[in-house]
Amino acid sequence: VPGRLAAAAALLLAGAASARAEAVDLALVLAVDTSRSIDAVEHDLQMDGYARAMTSPEVLKAIRSGPVGAVAVTLFEWSGPSEQRVMVEWMTVRDGASAERFADILRKAGRVYFDGTSISGAINFAMRRLADNPHDGTRRVIDVSADGANNRGRPAHAARDDALAAGVTINGLAIINDRPSRWPGPEPPLDQHFRDEVIGGPGAFLIVVKGFETFAEAIRNKLIREIVEAEPDPSPARRKAAASTE
């Protein structure tokens, strides 16, 4: 009897926790490369790009177009296999005010990590972030940005495959620049590396940018696509309306 009572209590607690979970259309982890190949100016351009994208009218329109009209988002910076720092804890973005809170946090945060490029470490950490997500989302997405191929930790495809097996989609943002690479031997084209080793899952996609000058625009278009694709079966009219914002 005590065992049955304990089990019943556990079920009640789980049900209460589920009832308290805030519903969102998408749980999104933004994993931002801050490895050694990215200088201070480029780091600031990245953070400003995410801030400007999240507060843009186009992204807010995409968020409001969902069945719930809200997304859960967290952002962390990463470099080596065990070097990650959460910059924005899980938060709900549903309107201009919440988007501005997200942007304000980013603009006030400094930089920490400067080591190699471990995309696999970033994916592993993102999966732990998803495990700690307090929101009830219909889709889980990891978004990885990087300016170089995986050169630390286990192979990127191994971490990707584990994430895909858990039902998580991984999208990518490949930043092409002329910085020297730390890849051991000839480095594969970054877009090819992302397609072969990083992205995957239902609706997965890759955006390629050359340099950081168009980073904010690329992030905005990427967020719109991720948010709209979060709907289980968006109507043709809603897809057309969302596409018009890119």
Side-chain angles (χ1 to χ4, degrees):
V1 174
R4 291 181 181 177
L5 289 175
L11 287 173
L12 287 173
L13 288 172
S18 177
R20 291 194 299 270
E22 184 175 7
V24 292
D25 295 309
L26 170 68
L28 176 63
V29 182
L30 300 172
V32 185
D33 181 5
T34 57
S35 58
R36 188 172 303 177
S37 58
I38 293 176
D39 64 26
V41 172
E42 292 168 342
H43 173 270
D44 291 345
L45 284 172
Q46 284 192 99
M47 298 309 164
D48 183 65
Y50 279 100
R52 288 167 56 192
M54 189 65 73
T55 55
S56 69
E58 296 88 352
V59 168
L60 290 172
K61 178 181 177 182
I63 292 172
R64 289 192 294 267
S65 74
V68 177
V71 299
V73 62
T74 182
L75 183 148
F76 69 91
E77 61 181 5
W78 59 272
S79 55
S82 60
E83 295 170 324
Q84 302 91 21
R85 181 181 69 142
V86 176
M87 301 180 73
V88 180
E89 293 286 355
W90 281 110
M91 65 176 294
T92 304
V93 177
R94 65 173 68 252
D95 52 25
S98 50
E100 285 293 344
R101 286 196 295 273
F102 173 91
D104 189 54
I105 294 170
L106 279 188
R107 287 172 175 146
K108 291 179 179 178
R111 178 180 177 173
V112 175
Y113 298 116
F114 301 88
D115 198 8
T117 303
S118 180
I119 295 176
S120 57
I123 294 173
N124 294 340
F125 188 79
M127 289 298 292
R128 295 197 291 274
R129 295 299 295 155
L130 284 170
D132 292 336
N133 174 28
H135 302 81
D136 183 12
T138 58
R139 187 168 177 241
R140 297 179 297 162
V141 172
I142 297 170
D143 189 295
V144 180
S145 70
D147 75 336
N150 189 81
N151 60 29
R152 293 288 188 275
R154 66 173 177 157
H157 68 80
R160 176 203 57 196
D161 292 347
D162 286 348
L164 301 192
V168 175
T169 292
I170 302 177
N171 298 325
L173 179 69
I175 306 164
I176 309 295
N177 59 32
D178 57 2
R179 293 298 176 84
S181 169
R182 299 179 71 188
W183 182 271
E187 183 172 0
L190 188 56
D191 56 345
Q192 176 186 327
H193 181 70
F194 263 83
R195 291 189 177 97
D196 294 346
E197 302 281 327
V198 180
I199 68 171
F205 65 90
L206 171 68
I207 290 180
V208 179
V209 295
K210 295 187 177 181
F212 288 84
E213 292 74 14
T214 60
F215 190 83
E217 180 182 359
I219 289 294
R220 183 194 66 203
N221 293 336
K222 178 186 64 62
L223 288 176
I224 291 169
R225 185 169 175 182
E226 286 169 334
I227 291 164
V228 173
E229 289 297 325
E231 299 180 45
D233 186 20
S235 68
R238 184 167 288 165
R239 281 184 178 273
K240 183 177 180 181
S244 67
T245 65
E246 295 195 36

